[in-house]
Amino acid sequence: MAEIPFETFRVALEAARGTAEAAPTHLINLAGKITPNITRYRPKEARGTRARNYRSVDTRKGAEWEAEGDADGNETLVLLNMSVAPLTTPSTPSGATLSRLWSFVPNLTADNIKSATAWWGDPALNQLLSDFCVLDELVFENDASGEEVLTISAKGMGGFPSKVSAPSATASIAGVTFPGQMMQCWIDTASAIGTTAISGRLISAKHTIRTGATYKYLAVGPTGALDYTLIGRDVVVGMTTELKLEFIDYAQYDLWSAGTGLKCRVRHNGALIESTAGPVNWYNYVEFDTYGPAEELDWDDNEGSNRALNLTINSTYDVTLGADFRVAVQNQRTTL
């Protein structure tokens, strides 16, 4: 997606779904856009002429929104509220002073993800405001073989936008980034998740979170806006983790072949937050826990010089967690 100078993408999580917030609370430091759409119906006519169209009427209005760029721990918190679970207050890990841990676990029996009001465009012009923005898919990717960092992309739907004066500028809160070579991976079977480190073989990781949002259009009378008025949630694979591993031995292949249930943790690390007695080093990170057997094996290569193994893990319910996946962010923020 093109990065256009001066454009901003700002949001505020909605207290009530579909009720627009008055002002943005967060600047999402990603290249984004809101694309309005209208379904325009043209009746078939039989008027004895060659003209195809005589009338039209709008039957549905809405918008699609998307944003992508380098991930940081601050914007990630907002997007995880929209895709996994509502969370506005972190915990302080035992022994830490400055570090804060945000742990997002989906509720499998309640629909509680947040919607947002979004503002997009050049602040020197009128901006587009779209309420009831719902996130469909959130993707994180990182590659140790490259020279970049953890990236994030988000997309979803929203209400038909209105033109509004650009609101007062929202502060851009600088967040750290997460180089690929600082990733860590653990794959456990019988042990608790995060016990068995997989060293010297993780090349890349991709995590895809799907909300299963469905959009409902109901009759609302002659003054209706033609937007959707409710959302629901479908049964979906909540998160998929795709790993590319250096093929050093058959350890991970054998787990796939046997259909062994895995507890996979991938941590994308950033800058040091603090060091405490122990010594213990506390880092910024975004962490993904995925449960389930490895699927969709595929052969790959690493720099064209040796074989690599691609494995996919589709999230599966874990009785200890009480859910099928978890996403955690560690940083220094005390509020959302």
Side-chain angles (χ1 to χ4, degrees), residues 71-324:
D72 73 49
N74 298 327
E75 68 203 11
T76 299
L77 296 178
V78 177
L79 295 172
L80 290 175
N81 267 269
M82 297 178 66
S83 58
V84 183
L87 183 64
T88 58
T89 304
S91 62
T92 301
S94 178
T97 301
L98 302 175
S99 303
R100 299 293 183 268
L101 182 63
W102 303 73
S103 185
F104 295 85
V105 178
N107 189 321
L108 301 187
T109 59
D111 176 16
N112 61 350
I113 56 173
K114 302 292 287 185
S115 61
T117 302
W119 290 256
W120 170 74
D122 188 335
L125 308 171
N126 285 334
Q127 291 198 316
L128 292 183
L129 180 153
S130 183
D131 66 354
F132 210 170
C133 287
V134 176
L135 200 155
D136 291 331
E137 184 176 273
L138 185 63
V139 180
F140 297 83
E141 295 186 73
N142 212 348
D143 189 343
S145 67
E147 298 178 359
E148 298 182 352
V149 297
L150 180 68
T151 61
I152 187 172
S153 64
K155 63 180 182 180
M157 293 183 64
F160 190 76
S162 58
K163 291 188 296 183
V164 297
S165 299
S168 300
T170 307
S172 176
I173 304 171
V176 304
T177 53
F178 309 94
Q181 286 188 309
M182 294 174 66
M183 285 189 291
Q184 292 173 282
C185 180
W186 295 261
I187 297 180
D188 292 283
T189 55
S191 304
I193 192 168
T195 301
T196 307
I198 303 300
S199 301
R201 62 185 69 195
L202 179 61
I203 301 169
S204 66
K206 178 180 179 181
H207 316 279
T208 303
I209 298 172
R210 300 176 184 86
T211 64
T214 60
Y215 301 90
K216 302 178 181 182
Y217 299 83
L218 305 178
V220 294
T223 61
L226 303 181
D227 284 340
Y228 56 85
T229 53
L230 294 173
I231 68 164
R233 301 285 296 283
D234 200 359
V235 176
V236 295
V237 175
M239 185 168 76
T240 298
T241 291
E242 301 171 56
L243 304 177
K244 182 177 179 179
L245 302 166
E246 184 91 350
F247 190 60
I248 297 173
D249 53 42
Y250 278 88
Q252 283 74 52
Y253 175 92
D254 289 342
L255 292 173
W256 165 81
S257 179
T260 304
L262 307 179
K263 306 170 188 177
C264 176
R265 170 171 290 174
V266 179
R267 182 179 293 173
H268 302 264
N269 291 292
L272 179 70
I273 299 173
E274 60 180 327
S275 295
T276 58
V280 179
N281 293 324
W282 304 88
Y283 291 91
N284 288 274
Y285 65 68
V286 182
E287 179 177 271
F288 300 86
D289 291 352
T290 319
Y291 300 80
E295 304 178 53
E296 301 178 29
L297 178 143
D298 186 29
W299 296 112
D300 208 329
D301 68 87
N302 188 10
E303 301 298 338
S305 60
N306 62 282
R307 188 60 64 189
L309 180 67
N310 292 331
L311 291 176
T312 299
I313 304 173
N314 293 319
S315 62
T316 303
Y317 180 81
D318 178 74
V319 66
T320 301
L321 181 67
D324 53 343

Side-chain angles (χ1 to χ4, degrees), residues 4-13 23-32 65 67-68 70-79 82 116-123 127 152 166-175 333 336:
I4 307 299
F6 309 119
E7 282 186 352
T8 60
F9 191 82
R10 293 179 278 180
V11 303
L13 298 178
T25 56
H26 293 79
L27 186 148
I28 302 298
N29 186 29
L30 301 170
W65 66 273
E68 64 181 26
D70 296 336
D72 73 49
N74 298 327
E75 68 203 11
T76 299
L77 296 178
V78 177
L79 295 172
M82 297 178 66
T117 302
W119 290 256
W120 170 74
D122 188 335
Q127 291 198 316
I152 187 172
S168 300
T170 307
S172 176
I173 304 171
R333 289 191 59 77
L336 184 61

